[in-house]
Amino acid sequence: MEHSKEVEKGWLQLKEHWEILPYPPTVSSTPAYSVLRMFLSPLLRPLLRWRVRGAGNIPRTGATILAANHLSHVDPIAVIAAARRTTHYLAKDGHFSKPMVRFLMNATGQIETQREKGGNEALASAATVLASGKALGIFPEGTRSKRTEEPFLLPGKTGVARLAAAYPEARVVPLAVRGSRQFMMPQEHKLPRLWRPLSVNAGVSVSWYSWLGHQSGGNHSFESLSALAGLEAHEIRAELSRLYRKFTDQLMGSLKALGAP
């Protein structure tokens, strides 16, 4: 879906209200990732009953947000496998406490965050990935769903929309992961059950710019955005919050439509 250059100009008038500066400024290189993929992928592929549908919807280059539902510890691995490109996730510092796990996290480009520093630090770290033109994996629910009955999908948090708005040319791809809880149930399965099927369904991507100007999306034009830029700061924040919530809710609707349980 193409976006209007007029909408782009209108959105840039509001930059001071939506900008998220990256920190650190660059993403660390991951030379070990290619080596791991080269050797592990041929070994694991015959053992796993994993299926990826809609892989062509996932851009192979450029800033990309891969937004998936979250049911199990294996979900990031499933998304990375489906993406066929280095995908960076934010991970809490506790995952980096053990030397072997730290090596794997660093080797695959995962970014350590400290939960006590709050959401702004996490958004800045995520912005680093997008500013570098790379792929960011994110779970819009904000946490792993602990529901015991369907629907497992939780309401989305608006962090994904804030990132999309701050990097409005990035492609946002909805990914529905199915079967991961049966593959490895948190607190119950100590090892993955490799014989269990798992699937990832990738939907059509959208950028913030194309969504913002679409009648079924943000429904804004250059004129309406210019008018918004002339309002008081609190009125601008209220409209941005409305847009973030609508984008997030529609994204969660796409995940459900793709089969997220």
Side-chain angles (χ1 to χ4, degrees), residues 18-173:
W18 50 254
E19 185 176 30
I20 301 175
L21 295 175
Y23 186 83
T26 58
V27 178
S28 301
S29 61
T30 56
Y33 178 80
S34 297
V35 176
L36 286 171
R37 187 165 62 177
M38 184 184 302
F39 287 100
L40 288 179
S41 184
L43 292 174
L44 292 176
R45 194 178 294 118
L47 298 175
L48 299 177
R49 297 176 60 195
W50 288 17
R51 297 291 180 268
V52 179
R53 299 178 179 87
N57 291 326
I58 303 175
R60 299 302 298 274
T61 59
T64 304
I65 299 174
L66 302 173
N69 58 305
H70 195 14
L71 289 169
S72 170
H73 301 308
V74 302
D75 293 328
I77 300 172
V79 171
I80 290 171
R84 298 176 298 168
R85 60 183 289 196
T86 303
T87 301
H88 302 270
Y89 271 94
L90 303 185
K92 60 183 180 181
D93 49 1
H95 291 317
F96 290 78
S97 58
K98 297 180 181 179
M100 180 56 70
V101 177
R102 171 177 284 274
F103 167 76
L104 289 172
M105 297 295 279
N106 289 331
T108 55
Q110 310 320 305
I111 301 170
E112 182 177 2
T113 60
Q114 296 179 339
R115 183 168 290 183
E116 64 272 12
K117 290 188 176 180
N120 288 334
E121 190 247 5
L123 286 174
S125 298
T128 298
V129 178
L130 299 175
S132 302
K134 299 184 182 298
L136 171 72
I138 192 169
F139 297 118
E141 296 160 282
T143 187
R144 176 170 46 81
S145 175
K146 298 178 177 62
R147 290 180 177 175
T148 56
E149 296 181 357
E150 293 193 23
F152 300 120
L153 195 64
L154 303 173
K157 298 185 181 298
T158 58
V160 61
R162 291 181 61 190
L163 287 167
Y167 294 86
E169 293 186 346
R171 307 301 301 185
V172 183
V173 185

